[in-house]
Amino acid sequence: EAGVTQFPSHSVIEKGQTVTLRCDPISGHDNLYWYRRVMGKEIKFLLHFVKESKQDESGMPNNRFLAERTGGTYSTLKVQPAELEDSGVYFCASSLLLAGKGYEQYFGPGTRLTVT
Amino acid sequence: DQQVKQNSPSLSVQEGRISILNCDYTNSMFDYFLWYKKYPAEGPTFLISISSIKDKNEDGRFTVFLNKSAKHLSLHIVPSQPGDSAVYFCAASDNAGGTSYGKLTFGQGTILTVHP
């Protein structure tokens, strides 16, 4: 079974540019999450989809960040325009929509975003 | 406001000995706790979990202990192996059940080094 995949693995952009990150969850996982780790600190929650609906976007830092999950499959996270403080590693995770198993989130390898 | 804290940034252990990683939390609404292991340039990998209704869960060399009154959990690795060297994250969920599982709140991580 394929795990969570993310693309690209690394992106370097200039301040003010736009970047779109993509996440493909594990097949059958209706829960999809985005997290970010900045400067080796803790991993922080950004938002949570259940299928195509945004369940919780309380962690989104500001309106420069836009996440979508059309059709309830893959998800994209767009940063527009990017700022220096957006640099970090963006992780996507997915889990089953199933009682007792949904807590266990499976993470992708992350996208390292560098804004210069 | 750090709701999950791992106060030891690093831990060094000799191969074959026990590794004990600690985690403290402040939110009494957390009902499920997880440990993740992370290698460089990879995403966090789920290791072991425990529900708040239990005080111990064991899986092979890994045991997680939960002390609700102290709001403290620990991960024991016995015996430690060089391949266990990684960053270990403690995480907690405050979803009260159902099937729409919410965000994980992470600690800052502890770097474990197991020396041969």
Side-chain angles (χ1 to χ4, degrees), chain A residues 5 10 30 33 35 43-44 57 64 81 99 103-104 107 114:
Chain A
T5 58
H10 193 185
D30 288 326
Y33 311 82
Y35 293 87
I43 300 167
K44 283 194 172 182
E57 49 185 329
R64 295 186 293 103
Y103 287 111
E104 297 172 10
F107 282 74
T114 304

Side-chain angles (χ1 to χ4, degrees), chain B:
Chain B
D1 178 24
Q2 189 84 34
Q3 297 187 64
V4 177
K5 292 185 180 180
Q6 295 175 254
N7 291 317
S8 297
S10 62
L11 175 67
S12 183
V13 172
Q14 202 70 29
E15 180 179 7
R17 307 293 289 268
I18 184 171
S19 295
I20 300 176
L21 297 106
N22 293 303
C23 178
D24 296 294
Y25 62 95
T26 57
N27 187 345
S28 58
M29 297 302 292
F30 286 144
D31 64 342
Y32 208 83
F33 302 89
L34 307 92
W35 284 94
Y36 283 83
K37 178 169 73 173
K38 184 184 178 307
Y39 293 118
E42 294 184 10
T45 301
F46 170 72
L47 197 56
I48 191 170
S49 62
I50 188 167
S51 165
S52 61
I53 62 174
K54 295 185 176 181
D55 54 19
K56 177 183 175 181
N57 188 28
E58 189 173 354
D59 184 3
R61 296 186 297 114
F62 303 91
T63 303
V64 56
F65 296 92
L66 175 63
N67 182 336
K68 283 184 64 178
S69 60
K71 293 190 175 66
H72 176 85
L73 67 155
S74 61
L75 174 68
H76 292 210
I77 306 174
V78 181
S80 301
Q81 300 172 354
D84 296 329
S85 297
V87 180
Y88 287 78
F89 289 96
C90 170
S93 174
D94 61 359
N95 196 67
T99 56
S100 178
Y101 296 89
K103 65 183 179 185
L104 294 179
T105 301
F106 283 86
Q108 307 95 308
T110 297
I111 302 170
L112 174 66
T113 304
V114 181
H115 298 284

Side-chain angles (χ1 to χ4, degrees), chain A residues 20-59:
Chain A
T20 300
L21 314 180
R22 172 170 170 145
C23 168
D24 287 79
I26 293 172
S27 178
H29 281 196
D30 288 326
N31 285 311
L32 186 149
Y33 311 82
W34 284 97
Y35 293 87
R36 178 173 70 174
R37 189 182 189 204
V38 174
M39 291 293 288
K41 296 186 177 178
E42 74 270 23
I43 300 167
K44 283 194 172 182
F45 168 79
L46 295 177
L47 88 160
H48 169 206
F49 284 98
V50 177
K51 298 184 180 179
E52 67 275 8
S53 300
K54 290 178 185 175
Q55 185 76 12
D56 180 0
E57 49 185 329
S58 62

Side-chain angles (χ1 to χ4, degrees), chain A residues 13-21 36 46 54 57 60-67 76-87 90 113 115:
Chain A
I13 61 172
E14 293 184 353
K15 176 182 172 180
Q17 289 187 321
T18 298
V19 63
T20 300
L21 314 180
R36 178 173 70 174
L46 295 177
K54 290 178 185 175
E57 49 185 329
M60 294 289 262
N62 51 60
N63 59 10
R64 295 186 293 103
F65 288 75
L66 174 65
T76 58
L77 178 65
K78 181 190 287 188
V79 184
Q80 178 184 30
E83 298 289 343
L84 297 178
E85 64 263 26
D86 300 332
S87 296
Y90 290 76
L113 175 64
V115 182

